[in-house]
Amino acid sequence: MNLEQQIISSIQQGFKALFDHEVGIEDLGLQPTRKEFEGTYTFVMFPFLKVTKMAPEACGTKLGEYLVAQTDLVTDFNVVKGFLNLSVSETSWIRVFEKLYSNPSLGQLPPNGQKVMVEYSSPNTNKPLHLGHLRNNFLGYSVSEILKANGYKVTKANLVNDRGIHICKSMVAYQHFGNGETPESSGLKGDHLAGKYYVIFDKEYKKQIKELVDQGLTEEDAKKQAPLLVEAQEMLRKWEANDTEVVALWKQMNDWVYAGFDTTYKKMGVDFDKFYYESDTYLLGKDIVEEGLSKGVFFKKDNGSVWVDLSAEGLDEKLVLRGDGTSVYITQDMGTCDLKFNDFGFDKSIYVVGNEQDYHFDVLFKIMRKLGRPYGDGLYHLSYGMVDLPTGKMKSREGTVVDADDLMNEMIETAETHTKELGKIEGFSTEEAKVLYETLGLGALKYFLLKVDPKKRMLFNPQESIEFQGNTGPFIQYSHARIASILRKAEQIGVDYTQGFEGLDKLEDAERDLIIILNDFEKKIRQAGDDFSPALLAQYLFDLAKEYNRFYADLSIFNESDKKVQAFRVALSSLTAKTIKSGMKLLGINVPDRM
């Protein structure tokens, strides 16, 4: 039982002793005391006035007196209206510190017996990954790691969109304009090579539309009749008919793209346990349509198309199978839902997909629940907003998309320039400096994209993200490097900070405040897991780094004459570094040991 839980338990006992009333632990809670008032935790009396039958100030005073008299946890209290502010004893905080310091699995909660699948990335094999994919991948990876820390057994899945008309567009353009070009001959990564031909298709397609319009066709007809599009549609039909030549070209170009993606994923620092491919799943779901018809969940219209009526759920009617028996996206998504559950038997399944798909997933999840799927209530859409750059919104298909590889490389170069200007690489070898620039550049990028609530649209500012001051990755990374330097010095001069701290009975304000925030680490991991929000953990790590820097500025470590206090401050620094390192790891960010 942690300190907060012990105080809540004492409050529960107080209600029984003072007001002869049993209050459930789940109905009791503490919140941090506001800075302008004395105290650490605040208990709000207002919800319990029917029980106490007293004015809020009076019952708050009575409960405060009880806690001071009956427990050594609370040394003082004050009541502001109906808010009971509690001051916790310094010995309690020292015990909290010792417990945290001696916990080898700090930041890893015990297994909860539940399985969760997190599906993220979901790239198209006709173009490279872009800035939006970076937010998607960093979110998916971090949420997976946070859920692991919460005790879930996690499977990271990637559903690759490797078929369809958009893939055929790249293939048709390559046939016409590729001249046998390969990643090796062009010096391009495979995903960039496929993306090049997707852009070429779009440019040539627009030329053909203009020519047809000039010949007298309407723009709408010209778009449908342009030879390149007709050819791409025919290629898709051939692919679905398993045409040998088309399938061979499809495999070749996809293999190039996968090799390119692998390089990008490695640089991003993300990974996957299971890949699903749309080419394997696009025909799934038709048996579920039959099941839905037999259960009366779906209905058939006169033209043979099959629909679901979700008006009782606040939506409308939704097509689940065309009249000619061909699938729509929701058909295959229903099938993939079952496939994933049959493969892994998950309790929760989280889809990390942009908010433009909110309606689609709302429909899908409502359908699966209506069908009575055992996993229906565990389906969750982690919907995130678009990422803009200061130069404007990203555009697809026009060759102006913000490429993920380019942006990561730019961030590493910016980190190099910035770090050299600040003179933070003294004594580094060329290889060590290169690792540092990559650590800082990618850390800045990841932290900036993760510190914003996933649901919010955001503006990514590369220059701001790399600063060593403010709410940035490099500020937290630099704080870790500073502590690592302190620990090296402590070892050099023989400070033993691994022993117990018996006899230490007084804390400075900065020491106590640092312990208070360190004590919140696992609570923040729980909250971030419950809300699927790395932003909560990012904010916590920034607050922790800030609090440590205040502690470092206010109190001397190596000029402290009391050796026990000195060892305690080094140990407190060590615990802070450990917490920062494991917290940043949950965000997918490395921290340097020196700068």
Side-chain angles (χ1 to χ4, degrees), residues 226-238:
L228 270 178
L229 181 67
V230 172
E231 204 176 328
Q233 289 168 334
E234 177 57 25
M235 181 175 274
L236 180 58
R237 277 191 287 274
K238 284 183 175 179

Side-chain angles (χ1 to χ4, degrees), residues 49-279:
L49 299 184
K50 283 184 181 175
V51 171
T52 64
K53 298 183 174 60
M54 296 171 71
E57 291 90 343
C59 59
T61 301
K62 199 168 181 181
L63 183 57
E65 288 170 347
Y66 172 87
L67 292 171
V68 171
Q70 298 296 322
T71 171
D72 63 352
L73 300 173
V74 178
T75 53
D76 201 1
F77 72 92
N78 63 85
V79 183
V80 181
K81 297 183 178 171
F83 298 92
L84 170 59
N85 302 318
L86 305 171
S87 296
V88 176
S89 70
E90 295 198 340
T91 52
S92 295
W93 285 122
I94 292 166
R95 286 201 299 270
V96 164
F97 165 75
E98 288 174 332
K99 192 174 177 183
L100 295 171
Y101 189 65
S102 62
N103 182 0
S105 57
L106 184 68
Q108 176 58 60
L109 305 178
N112 61 21
Q114 290 201 55
K115 296 178 188 173
V116 61
M117 176 176 278
V118 183
E119 181 192 297
Y120 63 99
S121 199
S122 304
N124 295 320
T125 58
N126 62 319
K127 53 188 174 183
L129 304 173
H130 56 62
L131 175 56
H133 285 116
L134 287 175
R135 190 178 198 190
N136 180 302
N137 279 275
F138 296 155
L139 261 177
Y141 179 85
S142 180
V143 165
S144 299
E145 295 303 307
I146 288 167
L147 290 172
K148 281 183 192 174
N150 274 282
Y152 288 93
K153 184 178 181 186
V154 177
T155 301
K156 300 173 190 168
N158 188 346
L159 175 60
V160 182
N161 301 303
D162 65 339
R163 65 163 288 279
I165 191 68
H166 50 297
I167 311 296
C168 291
K169 287 176 181 178
S170 292
M171 291 162 63
V172 163
Y174 181 78
Q175 278 185 329
H176 281 281
F177 311 107
N179 298 315
E181 189 177 31
T182 66
E184 291 72 28
S185 70
S186 65
L188 289 172
K189 278 174 78 234
D191 50 335
H192 286 250
L193 184 64
K196 170 184 167 181
Y197 287 100
Y198 190 56
V199 171
I200 288 172
F201 178 94
D202 194 61
K203 285 178 180 168
E204 297 298 324
Y205 176 48
K206 281 177 178 168
K207 281 186 199 170
Q208 289 184 353
I209 292 168
K210 186 177 183 304
E211 286 167 9
L212 291 171
V213 169
D214 290 346
Q215 290 167 24
L217 266 68
T218 65
E219 187 168 350
E220 195 177 333
D221 285 342
K223 282 180 178 176
K224 290 176 186 170
Q225 293 176 32
L228 270 178
L229 181 67
V230 172
E231 204 176 328
Q233 289 168 334
E234 177 57 25
M235 181 175 274
L236 180 58
R237 277 191 287 274
K238 284 183 175 179
W239 181 89
E240 289 181 354
N242 210 22
D243 179 272
T244 309
E245 274 184 42
V246 169
V247 169
L249 176 62
W250 172 76
K251 282 182 175 170
Q252 180 188 54
M253 291 185 75
N254 273 354
D255 284 347
W256 292 342
V257 171
Y258 296 143
F261 284 169
D262 284 348
T263 303
T264 304
Y265 287 142
K266 192 173 178 187
K267 188 153 213 166
M268 281 184 193
V270 304
D271 57 11
F272 304 93
D273 304 304
K274 175 70 178 177
F275 283 87
Y276 289 101
Y277 298 92
E278 199 178 309
S279 55

